[in-house]
Amino acid sequence: MWLIPLLKGLLLGFSIAAPVGPIGILCMRRTLTLGRLHGFLSGLGAATADAIYGFIAGFGLTLITSFLLDQKVILQLVGGLFLIYLGVQTFRSKPAVEAAKASGDTLFKSYASTLLLTITNPMTIMSFVGAFAGLGLGDSADAGFTPAIALVVGVFAGSALWWLLLSLLIGLLRERLKGAAFLWINRVSGAMLSVFGLFAVIGLLFQG
């Protein structure tokens, strides 16, 4: 029986991706300044990370989970510093130049950057472990290989669906915006990303 795990994973992936955070801001900003494809690929990077963590939680790989949680401080520091870097780069970027870029290299960067940000967020793996335990999804691996894989595929599909919908909806606004608006989008989103990064780094001082 693979349909029920697939549907559960779909709902879980969608619900974990939906809350607006730094990835959501990054996805919306890239959709507005670079286009829907960049925005969607940015979200797809996060969806890939969700699927990886869903695989770890779904198959009950406790050694990997424990290792990741033990490295929580390092991951949070790397993720926070990377957010600050992205925020500064975004704040300083010129929208007219960025809008003209559509090469495979920048598309890959849109995907890879959010993959890295989501992977280095300790809350992602904690969210999946908690959700799998609370909803009884951790038993999928015990039920067999197929249900566990269906669960992971569902997580990826649910997360990807959210980012597709978000990029399509935000993309509707892009056609109504003028050049000056893109400059402010870069400044506001860059500042917000930097703030998220600063909170992540400063938060390390209050841990332990």
Side-chain angles (χ1 to χ4, degrees):
M1 180 67 70
W2 56 268
L3 182 59
I4 293 179
L6 179 67
L7 292 176
K8 286 183 177 180
L10 190 70
L11 292 173
L12 181 61
F14 189 91
S15 61
I16 287 181
V20 177
I23 303 299
I25 292 172
L26 201 56
C27 178
M28 289 187 285
R29 177 255 168 186
R30 286 175 175 170
T31 301
L32 289 171
T33 58
L34 298 175
R36 292 187 180 95
L37 184 57
H38 280 273
F40 176 61
L41 284 176
S42 296
L44 207 61
T48 302
D50 288 342
I52 291 172
Y53 280 146
F55 178 88
I56 293 172
F59 279 85
L61 303 178
T62 55
L63 286 178
I64 297 178
T65 303
S66 298
F67 173 78
L68 290 171
L69 293 178
D70 288 341
Q71 307 304 316
K72 177 182 176 181
V73 173
I74 296 176
L75 291 174
Q76 186 170 330
L77 178 62
V78 171
L81 292 175
F82 189 51
L83 267 179
I84 294 172
Y85 167 78
L86 281 179
V88 172
Q89 291 295 103
T90 299
F91 189 91
R92 298 176 56 191
S93 61
K94 297 179 180 179
V97 175
E98 284 191 315
K101 290 182 179 179
S103 67
D105 181 53
T106 55
L107 287 172
F108 175 75
K109 287 180 180 178
S110 292
Y111 172 84
S113 59
T114 49
L115 173 61
L116 176 62
L117 280 173
T118 310
I119 282 289
T120 55
N121 182 5
M123 291 304 298
T124 305
I125 183 61
M126 294 174 69
S127 297
F128 276 105
V129 171
F132 276 47
L135 299 176
L137 301 179
D139 298 331
S140 297
D142 297 332
F145 181 79
T146 300
I149 286 295
L151 185 64
V152 175
V153 171
V155 166
F156 176 80
S159 181
L161 177 61
W162 164 254
W163 297 117
L164 176 62
L165 293 175
L166 182 64
S167 60
L168 289 175
L169 290 173
I170 298 299
L172 296 176
L173 299 176
R174 185 171 186 259
E175 301 171 357
R176 305 179 181 220
L177 297 175
K178 305 300 180 183
F182 290 118
L183 179 61
W184 282 104
I185 289 170
N186 282 351
R187 288 178 175 175
V188 172
S189 59
M192 293 179 70
L193 289 171
S194 296
V195 168
F196 273 114
L198 285 172
F199 272 120
V201 174
I202 294 174
L204 294 173
L205 299 177
F206 299 95
Q207 293 183 9

